[in-house]
Amino acid sequence: MAKKRTTSKSKTATTKKKISLRPSKQNKIIFGSLLIVLSIALFFSFMSFYFTWQEDQSMLSEFANRNAEASNLLNKFGASVSHFFMYQGFGLASFAFPLLLAVTGLYLFLGLEAKGLIGKWVWGLTGVIWLSVALGFFAADFPLLGGLIGFEMNDFLQDYTGKIGVFLILLFVLMVILVRLFNFTPEGFANFFRSQREKIKSDFQGTETNPDEETYIEHEDGGIELKMDDPAPEKVDTYTHKKDIPPLQTAAGLDVNLPEEEESDIDLTVEETPVEEETEVKAAKLVKDFGEFDPKLELGNYKFPPMELLDDHGASGGITINQEELEENKNRIVSTLKNYKIGIAQIKATIGPTVTLYEIVPEAGIRISKIKNLEDDIALSLAALGIRIIAPIPGKGTVGIEVPNKKATVVSMRSVIASNKFQKAEMELPIAFGKTISNETFVVDLAKMPHLLMAGATGQGKSVGLNAVITSLLYKKHPAEVKFIFVDPKKVELTLYNKIERHFLAKLPDSDEAIITDNTKVINTLNSLCIEMDNRYELLKTAMVRNIKEYNVKFKARKLNPNDGHKFLPYIVLVIDEFADLIMTAGKEVETPIARLAQLARAIGIHLIIATQRPSVNVITGIIKANFPARIAFRVTSKIDSRTILDAQGADQLIGRGDMLYTQGNDVTRLQCAFVDTPEVGKITEYIGSQRAYPEAHLLPEYVGEDSGTGIDYDISERDDMFREAAEVIVTAQQGSASLIQRKLKLGYNRAGRIIDQLEAAGIVGPFEGSKARQVLIPDIYSLEQFLENESK
């Protein structure tokens, strides 16, 4: 009986052990570690997705293929899971999932109580859905931000409540989240802003008294010069103010007018340890009192060209749809593919101004490469020139076939300039190239390209493309904000812009005409631009900023002193119309400074636009291509030329008359370039040129050619009075350039150039080396002192 009872007890214990659902501590640690590792994997997959999603599109259907590789940091797993969450799911909001998994994993790993964890998931998922729908609402043109769920939910809600209804729903849910999660109340909101206001007020009051008398004098170029008297005494001093003394501009930049009384003494007690004002606080007070420096003030009455100067070329902006042509082309595409046993599950058309895009979804099991190889056969069946197959279309699971329309629609410059996309573009240098296949205005920022290479055979729209670029900037930018340098070897393409020389053009100091047609002046101009680039980088260095945008913001806020050489920096756009001619006549003398500018000039606002009708490898060299990621190809005559300009085929299949391909290093986009005729350009330049202008064109730094300063002997008695100081500056900086002497000693460029010649004759600096700084032959100040002493003996 006892034996049976023992057996019964053991069975009961076993049964209890089996039905226990509480995980052990070891299992919690293991499962928690798994969740943490998974959250890290998801995070890096999601981050990588925004850089590699286009390359990984074709990999999604080949997950089981071991030989296929994806560019995602976590290979095919990362590509698939990030595509599911980011594209088909919630977009940027999906980053909440790795965070929630990591928090859950930490709870398990550290053995914490799970109290509140469910609430975190509930509110986390609520936030994910809200953010996804919000991104789908506010960034509908960028579906990757809100994901497919956010886009579709926003679309669904708009069908029933409209845009205003969706906005109100989002606002209400946001209020719920703020109240429940962050205990938001109107009183707390008001108290927060009240406390911030009091804090700012107390900060300003606490820095009103300065122990030193400082005077700020405002200059016309927007800077502030500081003059400081001897330091205030340690204890007490008395300042006398009379009514006939003009108001004093204090360190805060405030006009101090004392009460109109008889002569009075005002005692200002100064602490033994004066409290110095922070530079940023001073600048803030100056901005408050004087306002930000406005570079447009000199031409404050300048009027931008009106839209009426541009013609609409008979097009109202709409596209005429030929239903018969669409149906005929669709049937021929289906029939041609069917002949090669390629079935189509779906086909749809997107009509553009000159080209219609037919998107097809092939049946399962059809290889994309098989469709790509039928390009010539489809072109034959459609009897059309300019067929281009995109397999697959980036971001879509479809294959695109571009077919030219029988009747093309002219895209006028007026229609793209007047579009909301261009008018509301928040870009530094916006350019409206034309319209895409889906009839959308295509606007890009030249400042982000940062340089543009343009090629195309004669008569295919290259010059019109250059005029479209220039016209875009003339309609958007003030003369103070951008300057052009035009190089026109053909002497006829850019001459119309002579009328705006004193508004928008830049030139060398000794040039009679701003538009350069002589190759010798091109070389001097390019080397002058290199000097300008070096000077600007020196200004950025002393201002402690990284790029021209930050520099100009700081200068307009009056935080940079013009006495130190600081000034407002306009963007400079160099346009070269026929680059092949320059390479043939000047070769390396042109290629070297252009390569240097292309490599370094982006941050300081110098941008290059180079056009050529002969895109051969000896013209567009490897150095040029490497530094010009943004490229435009109009129609070219061969596949080799297409590969030279785009690194891909397709430009040889264009139909001409402004049909072009644009790439910025990733996908290739087909556009119809906006048409701006020569008379329109003439009217624009006439309108601008008739207005008040600057006294002269924007002057570039003077460039001393190779034939100057070499082999000239200077007698010691003829040396400049500042020869020794200049030698010390050059040896200290170990950089032999006239611009350095000009900045450090505040001299004119001609005088600085003569001193450089004297330093070369003395053997302190080496000979001229083009755009590079001269070599300094003296290693340090001590050696310089010995050198000058021995020379004087």
Side-chain angles (χ1 to χ4, degrees), residues 203-241:
D203 287 345
F204 275 101
Q205 288 176 347
T207 55
E208 282 182 354
T209 303
N210 195 318
D212 299 337
E213 179 182 329
E214 299 176 356
T215 304
Y216 273 86
I217 301 175
E218 184 178 15
H219 291 264
E220 291 182 357
D221 52 7
I224 302 298
E225 177 186 355
L226 169 65
K227 291 187 176 180
M228 181 179 291
D229 292 342
D230 293 332
E234 293 182 355
K235 298 266 178 135
V236 178
D237 199 0
T238 302
Y239 292 82
T240 302
H241 175 77

Side-chain angles (χ1 to χ4, degrees), residues 672-776:
Q672 178 60 40
C673 183
F675 180 65
V676 52
D677 207 356
T678 304
E680 295 175 74
V681 176
K683 287 188 286 185
I684 294 169
T685 55
E686 183 70 36
Y687 181 85
I688 295 173
S690 63
Q691 300 185 54
R692 178 175 174 267
Y694 295 108
E696 58 183 343
H698 182 80
L699 295 182
L700 298 171
E702 186 176 356
Y703 171 72
V704 183
E706 292 187 6
D707 56 344
S708 63
T710 56
I712 300 176
D713 292 329
Y714 283 92
D715 189 86
I716 294 179
S717 61
E718 297 177 357
R719 285 179 178 170
D720 193 281
D721 294 339
M722 302 195 75
F723 175 86
R724 190 182 189 93
E725 290 91 333
E728 291 174 354
V729 168
I730 292 294
V731 171
T732 302
Q734 286 295 299
Q735 179 185 347
S737 69
S739 59
L740 178 64
I741 297 175
Q742 183 184 8
R743 289 196 308 275
K744 295 294 185 182
L745 301 182
K746 296 182 174 60
L747 303 178
Y749 194 86
N750 291 332
R751 186 179 179 187
R754 286 194 298 271
I755 294 177
I756 278 287
D757 293 342
Q758 293 170 8
L759 291 170
E760 180 189 351
I764 295 175
V765 298
F768 180 82
E769 298 183 21
S771 61
K772 296 181 181 177
R774 296 171 184 250
Q775 182 181 1
V776 181

Side-chain angles (χ1 to χ4, degrees), residues 557-569:
R558 304 184 186 274
K559 297 178 183 177
L560 302 174
N561 195 333
N563 287 337
D564 297 330
H566 292 294
K567 57 186 177 181
F568 181 82
L569 299 179

Side-chain angles (χ1 to χ4, degrees), residues 69 123 177 188 252 335 343 367 408 431 477 563 567 594 601 643 668 681:
E69 289 189 2
W123 285 111
I177 294 173
S335 175
R367 296 185 68 85
I431 294 174
K477 307 306 289 185
N563 287 337
K567 57 186 177 181
I594 280 184
R643 281 195 291 268
V668 177
V681 176

Side-chain angles (χ1 to χ4, degrees), residues 575-586:
V575 180
I576 301 178
D577 185 34
E578 188 42 73
F579 186 61
D581 184 66
L582 293 181
I583 291 293
M584 285 170 54
T585 55

Side-chain angles (χ1 to χ4, degrees), residues 501-522:
E501 175 180 330
R502 293 189 296 128
H503 291 87
F504 280 102
L505 302 193
K507 65 177 184 178
L508 291 173
D510 58 345
S511 295
D512 296 328
E513 294 183 354
I515 296 177
I516 306 163
T517 57
D518 181 28
N519 287 345
T520 304
K521 288 188 177 180
V522 175

